[in-house]
Amino acid sequence: MTDDDRPPRPVPGPGRRAAGRSAGRAPGRVLGAGGLAALAALVPGCSGPPPAEEPTGEEAEEALTIAVADDQLERAVAGIYSLAMNSRDVPAVVEVRDAQPGELVAGFAEDGGEGDDGGSDDALVVAGTLDLARQLDPEGYQEQAAPSPEATAAAAVPTPTAETVLGLVEDAVDGAEVLEPAAAVLTETLVVTTVTAVEQDIPRDSSDARDSSVAEACDQLVVGAREDLPTPEDSLAATYDCEPAAVSTGGEDELVRRLISAELDAAVISSTHPGIEQHALVALDDADHAFPREQLVPVVDDAAAEEIPDIVGQVSSRLDAEAVTTLRRLLSGEQGLAPHEAAEYWLVEEDLIAAPEDWG
């Protein structure tokens, strides 16, 4: 992220589930100190959102632990939940674990809801539902996920919806409760540059990959796909009658770089990748579910469930696709923010916590 892209630090303002995003506030009449004090006494909440003081010392040792794998986005989302909980007087800290999300959640069952020495000391785990479903119920997930090699675009079976994947997780957890997931449904999208769209007669205002021009052009395209997507060539062929000239895999940032340098003609990446807007890519949505969809979700140990404040659900309802895209933009690039900083910035922007005093 360049200096031009880096967002300014916000100035704090007034502010179980919120109905929508914060509306802008119009400037009002300037009041004296006495008038402000009187107004504060009359209007609930007008003093602004509470600060999010991180626990220290003994309080930190007794704080609820939010465990997360070493993924930048998931760490930022865990940081959002942690800071929000701290702002509501429920001390919480984030710990990055060298373990798969499914292992972390399985630890809740091992401690029998008591947090004894044989199980987990974590209170919450934040993870993507796809990872959790694959790891907690691999057989159930596989039954839902893989397209048949004999399938055609006319008779393709869609991959699991976000709701289906979430249901697999809810059924698989033991000794834990799946809380409200983040509102964003994370989907894949087929992206091309505007140059490729013009060359292949793909309308730049196409909304999804079902446009007939995609299937017609596909055999001339070298397509990149995320390395964690299973059999992307089979999924494209079965769902969109798209049989690329070649398919290669890689990380999302690498795929975007190769796409804009013309090493690839198209790429399958997350619809929340900030490079789509940054490079004005033509995004063709996966309308027919060639690829599985997921959400980010907090899973709480049964022993800690009653301690979770309502703000956690409010945060989840605001973490929509726009919010996830914003977080990924804040995290990206050589000058990107650390996950904790991105979490703090987003919460202040949403008027869920007050801006720290050292922001100036």
Side-chain angles (χ1 to χ4, degrees):
M1 179 164 58
T2 65
D3 288 335
D4 290 338
D5 293 329
R6 191 183 184 103
R9 281 178 167 170
V11 177
R16 214 157 191 170
R17 183 164 183 153
R21 304 181 71 84
S22 301
R25 293 176 298 281
R29 180 180 302 172
V30 176
L31 298 177
L36 287 172
L39 184 62
L42 291 172
V43 183
C46 74
S47 58
E53 300 291 339
E54 292 191 73
T56 58
E58 185 176 335
E59 187 179 46
E61 294 178 5
E62 298 177 356
L64 298 178
T65 300
I66 302 177
V68 66
D70 193 6
D71 174 90
Q72 291 287 93
L73 176 60
E74 291 177 8
R75 288 175 60 185
V77 172
I80 287 172
Y81 287 121
S82 173
L83 287 169
M85 290 168 66
N86 285 322
S87 74
R88 269 58 175 183
D89 299 321
V90 180
V93 295
V94 175
E95 294 287 348
V96 179
R97 303 294 191 203
D98 184 18
Q100 294 296 317
E103 296 177 57
L104 298 175
V105 170
F108 295 151
E110 293 172 8
D111 69 25
E114 298 297 333
D116 58 32
D117 292 338
S120 170
D121 291 328
D122 299 324
L124 276 165
V125 171
V126 173
T129 52
L130 275 176
D131 280 340
L132 291 174
R134 289 166 177 158
Q135 294 161 19
L136 294 173
D137 185 9
E139 292 184 3
Y141 176 77
Q142 192 58 34
E143 289 177 4
Q144 299 277 350
S148 167
E150 291 79 27
T152 65
V157 178
T159 55
T161 64
E163 292 80 4
T164 299
V165 175
L166 179 63
L168 289 172
V169 176
E170 291 173 332
D171 291 341
V173 296
D174 186 11
E177 178 184 348
V178 178
L179 301 181
E180 180 183 357
V185 174
L186 306 181
T187 66
E188 307 305 318
T189 188
L190 181 68
V191 295
V192 299
T193 63
T194 54
V195 172
T196 298
V198 170
E199 290 176 346
Q200 300 295 338
D201 293 325
I202 298 173
R204 281 178 285 177
D205 59 354
S206 292
S207 60
D208 61 63
R210 291 177 296 189
D211 194 290
S212 60
S213 60
V214 176
E216 292 169 3
C218 214
D219 63 356
Q220 302 175 54
L221 302 180
V222 177
V223 176
R226 278 217 331 260
E227 51 202 354
D228 62 329
L229 291 176
T231 61
E233 57 273 28
D234 292 342
S235 297
L236 288 170
T239 310
Y240 297 112
D241 200 19
C242 170
E243 299 184 12
V247 174
S248 64
T249 60
E252 284 194 319
D253 291 343
E254 175 195 354
L255 293 175
V256 171
R257 178 188 59 76
R258 292 170 62 193
L259 182 65
I260 63 176
S261 62
E263 297 175 44
L264 295 172
D265 300 307
V268 179
I269 61 174
S270 170
S271 59
T272 60
H273 194 285
I276 295 174
E277 181 178 352
Q278 181 182 354
H279 300 291
L281 300 177
V282 177
L284 304 165
D285 293 340
D286 179 21
D288 285 343
H289 291 209
F291 301 100
R293 305 178 175 203
E294 70 170 335
Q295 293 168 282
L296 295 170
V297 66
V299 182
V300 61
D301 188 341
D302 280 344
E306 293 186 1
E307 300 181 60
I308 305 303
D310 289 345
I311 188 65
V312 170
Q314 185 179 357
V315 163
S316 290
S317 69
R318 295 202 196 185
L319 279 170
D320 56 14
E322 180 183 352
V324 172
T325 302
T326 296
L327 288 171
R328 295 190 65 177
R329 179 171 57 84
L330 292 171
L331 295 165
S332 67
E334 294 181 359
Q335 298 184 43
L337 302 180
H340 176 84
E341 294 173 324
E344 190 172 51
Y345 176 88
W346 184 83
L347 283 164
V348 173
E349 278 286 273
E350 289 289 308
D351 279 340
L352 290 171
I353 66 171
E357 293 180 1
D358 60 3
W359 279 21

